[in-house]
């Protein structure tokens, strides 16, 4: 077979040799300039499919595909490009468009300018406007949240939202209120999902209540308030339960009480320890001393007061973590600073 244009013998494509085919059929119709909107807050780019958090090279490739589809008879086109910054908002771009037709892959080279348009994506606009649909409330059961719990809950919520693949999921604001925390979040589903996760990680119960907010496109719109109540006790509390003095070593999924006298641990459903009474106590690393009577005493690091350790340990090092209560001093199975305890349920789950 031969080319109807130049007469060359060999394979032909629609009657033309490969060289004449490339001359007659350009891969794309080049443009001189394209605009690309970029969010000044999160760095997302606006493409035909919407705002996308991708790097600039991927955004440019997608922009080229959207602006310059393959011309007939090419079946598809691929782009590679090299961008040179002329200034903060202008790029000089060298483009290679590779067309595909049967076994041909002709390359078309051209140059264009891309103007970066500073903007704000929909999500960042909502965040700046403190937009919210749902409210997540975190409280304690008949108690205020401890400072350690407040820190852990804030870290937990931030980590969950950061790991979300949904760009519309965000916390517009967080408030410390009397007894707990309020999170104003972008979606009702996000509020309910965070509530379930928090209750599972920290031990607690969940309830929710919708409130009619308005109408959108003829449909009623509700705002949901999801309430998490953390258990009556937190890890590290000392309680009196059925006549025994115990420290709370875990709160999920069961409450685990370690008897301070015997060292025995037992687990309970949260409802089974509701009548337990919290005891004022301190936990700290104390100096342990052997006295002439043969007892081992703990020395309070501030007052210097000495109390015999109960029960009397068989062996004791120079220091140990002690629970200091009105009833006496006891060896603890927990670290002195629970905020750094890697076994802490909320902290470990939230990382």
């Amino acid at each position: 077979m031969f080319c109807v244009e130049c007469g060359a013998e060999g394979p032909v494509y629609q009657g033309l040799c490969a060289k004449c085919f490339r001359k007659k059929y350009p891969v794309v119709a080049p443009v001189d300039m394209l605009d690309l909107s970029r969010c000044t807050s999160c760095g997302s780019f606006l493409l035909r499919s919407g705002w996308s958090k991708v790097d600039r090279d991927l955004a440019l490739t997608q922009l080229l595909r959207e602006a310059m589809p393959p011309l007939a008879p090419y079946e598809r086109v691929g782009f590679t490009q090299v961008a040179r910054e002329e200034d903060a908002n202008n790029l000089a771009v060298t483009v290679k468009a590779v067309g595909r037709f049967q076994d041909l892959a002709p390359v078309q080279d051209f140059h264009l300018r891309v103007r970066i348009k500073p903007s704000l994506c929909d999500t960042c606009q909502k965040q700046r406007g403190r937009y919210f649909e749902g409210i997540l409330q975190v409280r304690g059961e008949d108690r205020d949240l401890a400072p350690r719990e407040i820190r852990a809950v804030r870290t937990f919520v931030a980590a969950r939202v950061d790991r979300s693949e949904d760009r519309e999921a965000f916390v517009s604001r967080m408030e410390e209120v009397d007894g707990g925390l309020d999170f104003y979040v972008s979606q009702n589903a996000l509020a309910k999902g965070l509530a379930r996760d928090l209750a599972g990680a920290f031990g607690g119960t969940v309830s929710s209540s919708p409130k009619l907010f308005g109408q959108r496109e003829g449909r009623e719109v509700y705002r949901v308030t999801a309430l998490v109540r953390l258990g009556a006790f937190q890890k590290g509390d000392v309680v009196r339960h059925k006549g025994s003095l115990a420290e709370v070593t875990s709160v999920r999924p069961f409450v685990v009480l370690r008897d301070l006298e015997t060292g025995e641990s037992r687990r309970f459903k949260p409802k089974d320890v509701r009548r337990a009474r919290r005891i004022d106590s301190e936990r700290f690393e104390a100096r342990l001393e052997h006295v002439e009577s043969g007892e081992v005493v703990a020395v309070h690091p501030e007052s210097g007061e000495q109390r015999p350790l109960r029960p009397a340990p068989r062996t004791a090092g120079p220091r140990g973590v002690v629970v200091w209560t009105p009833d006496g001093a006891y060896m603890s199975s927990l670290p002195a600073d629970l905020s750094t305890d890697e076994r802490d349920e909320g902290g470990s789950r939230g990382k």
Side-chain angles (χ1 to χ4, degrees), residues 39 41 51 119-131 170:
C39 178
S41 180
W51 289 95
S119 183
L120 275 178
C121 69
D122 299 336
T123 299
C124 290
Q125 285 188 35
K126 288 180 178 179
Q127 285 183 283
R128 290 196 176 186
R130 292 196 164 188
Y131 173 86
F170 61 85

Side-chain angles (χ1 to χ4, degrees), residues 304-324:
E305 180 185 352
Q306 296 183 353
R307 287 186 182 177
L309 278 178
R310 299 169 54 186
R314 295 179 180 178
T315 59
R319 302 189 68 82
V321 178
V322 170
V323 174
W324 193 275

Side-chain angles (χ1 to χ4, degrees), residues 270-288:
K271 66 179 181 179
D272 294 334
V273 292
R274 286 177 180 169
R275 294 188 178 182
R277 183 166 55 90
R278 187 182 295 105
I279 303 297
D280 289 337
S281 64
E282 298 179 76
R283 176 180 287 99
F284 45 76
E285 184 177 336
R287 189 172 77 253
L288 306 182

Side-chain angles (χ1 to χ4, degrees), residues 251-290:
V251 294
R252 68 155 188 90
F254 297 97
V255 177
V256 179
L257 301 183
R258 174 183 171 271
D259 191 301
L260 289 173
E261 288 280 3
T262 66
E264 178 186 2
S265 293
R266 295 182 61 191
R267 67 179 191 176
F268 301 87
K269 294 180 180 180
K271 66 179 181 179
D272 294 334
V273 292
R274 286 177 180 169
R275 294 188 178 182
R277 183 166 55 90
R278 187 182 295 105
I279 303 297
D280 289 337
S281 64
E282 298 179 76
R283 176 180 287 99
F284 45 76
E285 184 177 336
R287 189 172 77 253
L288 306 182
E289 295 182 354
H290 293 266

Side-chain angles (χ1 to χ4, degrees), residues 3-58:
C3 175
V4 298
E5 191 73 28
C6 69
E9 292 187 0
V12 295
Y13 306 87
Q14 295 188 352
L16 300 173
C17 66
K19 184 177 180 180
C20 292
F21 187 90
R22 293 187 181 96
K23 289 182 179 179
K24 184 174 181 178
Y25 296 113
V27 177
V28 296
V31 298
D32 295 326
M33 186 175 297
L34 290 172
D35 289 335
L36 180 61
S37 295
R38 178 174 58 194
C39 178
T40 56
S41 180
C42 70
S44 299
F45 292 97
L46 179 59
L47 302 169
R48 189 172 297 168
S49 58
W51 289 95
S52 180
K53 203 165 187 178
V54 296
D55 64 38
R56 192 183 69 185
D57 285 342
L58 288 176

